[in-house]
Amino acid sequence: MELQPGREAIVRVAVATLWSSPEAVRPVDGPALTAGVDIPTWVSGMDTDQQVGDCVLSQLLLGERVLVDELRPDGWARVVAVEQPAAKLDPRGYPGWLPADQLTPVDPHVGGDPLVVDATITELRIAPGGPVALPGVVVGTRLVPAGPARDGWQPVHVPAQATPLWLPDGQLVPAPTEPPSAADALAVAQRLRDVLYIWGGLSAYGIDCSGLVHLAWRRFGVLLPRDADDQAVATTPVPLGAERPGDLYFFARPGRKIHHIGIVTAVAGDLADRRMLHACYRRRRVLEEALPADRIATLVGVHRV
């Protein structure tokens, strides 16, 4: 089978990066562009300015579905990430470009109830305890079981792999059938504390503010929009002062659209008691902190998922 415009495909690498255009990529982006993606090397090679380059739109996880819109002769594919809602950009999902060799056609013979990776970062192996076949798989990745667990290891179907790969059974959980509690989602986000801020990032190697929220709820099967302003539309406002841990703070400058989001971590009393976990553009990492004065000045709402 080959990729075809108008048909769905799935991501075959641990983390694929969605770009604004093929021409926007920079020399530093090389490790993120190959069929053997190396996200840790890509992230570590960037300086603080390159970490916030707007050429990166989002990222996609192993097994994530896309709709292929266009295939270029130079090996790039224009796709829509259908599992990342982005109503203002495309009603089908988040649009962007990625190397076509990071995708594979959907295999109609692979199906079943998925398992969800719950390890922050893990690696898939050729056999139980065997050599690593695919490193860098991150929390929230969904994989279809390929048979029963054996000696504490679970075989899974992996896109574009001829035979099942294996990972420790304890790193997988059944796909949830109930919405998570706010505390559950917050606990996942807290595991990403100190991860680097990467504009458009959506992994345990680098992440942005809306990506942190999207990934924390995605771990439980809740597909919030990808961008902060869309996340505000998709969630329910609650009165300021009634927030509780796991709710969302939204920030905007006067007359501007929402530009930042954080997850409430402490029950609010007065203004000085407000705390949040967020991927901080200025500090270039995920951190938990009391809201500084300039954040309080731009706080425009509290919402609940």
Side-chain angles (χ1 to χ4, degrees):
M1 293 186 294
E2 295 183 352
L3 300 177
Q4 295 184 28
R7 294 194 175 181
E8 284 197 348
I10 50 178
V11 174
R12 64 184 294 268
V13 297
V15 178
T17 301
L18 194 67
W19 305 90
S20 59
S21 74
E23 292 73 29
V25 298
R26 307 155 297 185
V28 73
D29 298 323
L33 299 174
T34 65
V37 168
D38 187 347
I39 296 298
T41 296
W42 175 60
V43 169
S44 65
M46 286 189 279
D47 61 32
T48 55
D49 289 335
Q50 291 166 333
Q51 288 172 12
V52 296
D54 59 6
C55 55
V56 176
L57 300 177
S58 188
Q59 291 183 306
L60 298 86
L61 307 186
L62 175 69
E64 186 168 343
R65 295 180 300 117
V66 302
L67 178 64
V68 178
D69 268 355
E70 178 185 344
L71 293 170
R72 290 198 343 186
D74 61 0
W76 282 87
R78 187 183 188 277
V79 303
V80 175
V82 298
E83 298 177 56
Q84 298 187 28
K88 68 181 183 297
L89 299 175
D90 191 315
R92 301 171 299 170
Y94 214 108
W97 293 84
L98 49 74
D101 60 5
Q102 295 180 0
L103 298 172
T104 190
V106 175
D107 186 344
H109 304 294
V110 174
D113 294 331
L115 299 170
V116 183
V117 173
D118 193 45
T120 307
I121 298 174
T122 189
E123 50 203 15
L124 297 171
R125 296 176 181 267
I126 292 173
V132 173
L134 186 61
V137 175
V138 302
V139 63
T141 299
R142 292 194 165 210
L143 299 167
V144 176
R150 189 176 79 200
D151 300 326
W153 291 79
Q154 173 66 52
V156 291
H157 294 289
V158 178
Q161 297 285 336
T163 59
L165 299 181
W166 299 75
L167 73 168
D169 189 46
Q171 295 183 352
L172 291 163
V173 295
T177 57
E178 300 285 336
S181 69
D184 290 337
L186 175 57
V188 171
Q190 286 174 325
R191 285 160 48 189
L192 300 174
R193 191 180 305 207
D194 293 325
V195 168
L196 285 178
Y197 183 102
I198 300 292
W199 182 273
L202 191 66
S203 85
Y205 294 106
I207 203 161
D208 65 14
C209 65
S210 56
L212 180 67
V213 171
H214 176 90
L215 188 60
W217 268 267
R218 178 172 170 164
R219 153 65 181 83
F220 300 97
V222 177
L223 294 182
L224 291 177
R226 177 60 179 86
D227 291 341
D229 53 342
D230 289 332
Q231 289 171 348
V233 174
T235 51
T236 303
V238 298
L240 193 62
E243 60 265 39
R244 60 194 187 207
D247 287 341
L248 305 173
Y249 283 135
F250 288 93
F251 303 87
R253 298 179 183 90
R256 305 289 293 276
K257 72 176 185 178
I258 288 168
H259 69 272
H260 190 60
I261 185 172
I263 306 174
V264 178
T265 58
V267 176
D270 57 30
L271 287 175
D273 294 328
R274 291 192 166 95
R275 299 185 66 86
M276 69 176 177
L277 179 77
H278 65 134
C280 181
Y281 178 97
R282 289 174 292 191
R283 304 270 293 277
R284 298 292 199 271
R285 63 185 178 91
V286 177
L287 54 89
E288 195 272 344
E289 64 176 352
L291 269 63
D294 59 338
R295 290 289 189 201
I296 292 172
T298 58
L299 179 60
V300 294
V302 184
H303 288 219
R304 187 164 294 159
V305 177

